[in-house]
Amino acid sequence: MKLLLKFNLVFLAVFVSGLAVSALIARNLLQRDAQEEVLDRARLLMEKASVVSTYTATQIAPLLREQMEHQFLPQSIPSFSSMEILNALRTKYPDYGYKPAMLNPTNPRDRAVEWEADVITQFRNQPERAEFIGQRDTPSGRALYIARPIKITNGACLQCHSTAEAAPQTLVAKYGPNNGFGWTLNEAIGAQVVSVPMSVPLQRADKALVTVIGLLSVVFLLIGLALNLLLWKLVIQPVRQLSALSDRVSLGELDAPDFRVRSKDEIGVLAGSFTRMRKSLAHAMKLLDR
């Protein structure tokens, strides 16, 4: 097996091993970064929903109070407004799902399902907790979700959600006397939940990984070509010439031309030693011929 082939086999083994380890580490890092990016975007959507809810409660609801005495307007409800705004934003972020999940909502569409109720219970048991991140299985695959508690911090909200008797009759007429009442101040009554399929961050990570692996492969290829060129020029080619000259000398051609190498590296030292050895051999042969 030739030296160049041995070198390339070793280089290929190192390249494959290094690429596999690099891919494994890079994939974990890229998946983590992609997941954080998805969560940051989810947090931004939740902040938008919170701002819309606050604006509705402080600016819109007071303007519609008189009309609410004659006709219930869902646009005066903070959770309804935030839900509508986030549904409109889903045209730009179709992979993200938003829901203001409530244990006892005014609108039945906001009622928490079992896993959402478990998250709300955790917020109730840990009042100091501001955020919850988890994963769950869905019919379409694994999903990542982030949740924040919904708490009543403005006592004015209890005018509509303390008891059915104190609430506007138009609200009771539309949703019934059992939906959206019994809320208490500063208690987690629900949770803002943004969910996204795990395939979204995984796909982003895989796309980035392909780019990274491609760049690493190109770098390794260029390094391999450069090393092959250096090995051929500085080692293999001089050794071949020296080997050919040695064969000629061993066959009796003592007048063969000298092998001249300008470098002072190991090959140059070897060439100088061979030249001195050949001259000594030629001198010895002349002495024998006398």
Side-chain angles (χ1 to χ4, degrees):
M1 186 180 293
K2 295 185 177 181
L3 179 62
L4 190 61
L5 179 58
K6 291 180 180 179
F7 172 81
N8 281 308
L9 289 176
V10 173
F11 181 81
L12 182 62
V14 173
F15 165 68
V16 173
S17 301
L19 194 63
V21 173
S22 300
L24 182 62
I25 296 175
R27 188 170 188 270
N28 292 333
L29 293 176
L30 290 171
Q31 284 183 354
R32 190 184 309 165
D33 290 343
Q35 182 171 314
E36 284 299 322
E37 181 184 352
V38 169
L39 289 175
D40 287 341
R41 187 168 292 176
R43 291 186 182 100
L44 181 60
L45 293 177
M46 295 174 76
E47 291 294 339
K48 290 180 180 180
S50 297
V51 170
V52 171
S53 296
T54 301
Y55 178 79
T56 301
T58 59
Q59 302 293 328
I60 303 300
L63 297 177
L64 300 178
R65 189 168 297 157
E66 292 184 4
Q67 298 183 45
M68 288 280 287
E69 296 178 358
H70 307 286
Q71 179 185 1
F72 178 76
L73 300 173
Q75 291 79 7
S76 64
I77 306 302
S79 60
F80 178 87
S81 300
S82 63
M83 188 73 170
E84 293 300 309
I85 294 296
L86 266 295
N87 282 337
L89 283 174
R90 288 192 66 185
T91 58
K92 187 175 182 180
Y93 304 107
D95 296 318
Y96 291 77
Y98 173 79
K99 180 181 178 181
M102 315 282 282
L103 293 177
N104 184 21
T106 301
N107 192 330
R109 76 174 182 179
D110 298 333
R111 189 172 300 279
V113 296
E114 184 177 356
W115 72 269
E116 293 169 338
D118 292 338
V119 173
I120 298 171
T121 301
Q122 291 197 42
F123 284 131
R124 285 191 164 190
N125 295 335
Q126 305 175 38
E128 73 285 354
R129 188 163 191 172
E131 188 175 88
F132 186 85
I133 299 174
Q135 298 182 20
R136 64 186 185 90
D137 292 319
T138 67
S140 59
R142 196 79 174 158
L144 176 69
Y145 68 88
I146 179 173
R148 289 181 177 176
I150 298 176
K151 296 181 179 181
I152 299 298
T153 57
N154 186 352
C157 295
L158 296 180
Q159 295 177 359
C160 296
H161 297 288
S162 57
T163 62
E165 291 75 16
Q169 292 305 304
T170 53
L171 184 149
V172 177
K174 184 173 181 64
Y175 292 111
N178 299 317
N179 294 323
F181 302 111
W183 296 1
T184 57
L185 199 64
N186 296 321
E187 183 182 30
I189 59 172
Q192 288 180 303
V193 180
V194 176
S195 58
V196 59
M198 280 297 294
S199 58
V200 173
L202 292 179
Q203 286 174 359
R204 292 184 181 181
D206 289 342
K207 287 181 180 179
L209 181 63
V210 170
T211 303
V212 171
I213 295 301
L215 292 175
L216 287 177
S217 299
V218 171
V219 170
F220 270 104
L221 180 61
L222 293 177
I223 293 175
L225 291 174
L227 290 177
N228 272 270
L229 180 61
L230 290 174
L231 184 64
W232 172 262
K233 190 68 178 177
L234 300 179
V235 178
I236 295 178
Q237 189 177 41
V239 168
R240 280 188 174 181
Q241 294 174 358
L242 188 59
S243 176
L245 182 59
S246 299
D247 287 340
R248 293 174 64 182
V249 171
S250 67
L251 294 175
E253 295 185 32
L254 298 180
D255 58 344
D258 292 338
F259 179 72
R260 300 185 181 277
V261 178
R262 296 180 180 179
S263 64
K264 296 182 180 180
D265 56 13
E266 289 78 358
I267 297 296
V269 173
L270 178 63
S273 299
F274 177 79
T275 300
R276 290 192 300 272
M277 182 182 69
R278 194 186 67 165
K279 289 180 178 180
S280 298
L281 179 62
H283 181 68
M285 293 299 294
K286 288 181 180 179
L287 292 176
L288 289 174
D289 290 340
R290 289 180 181 179

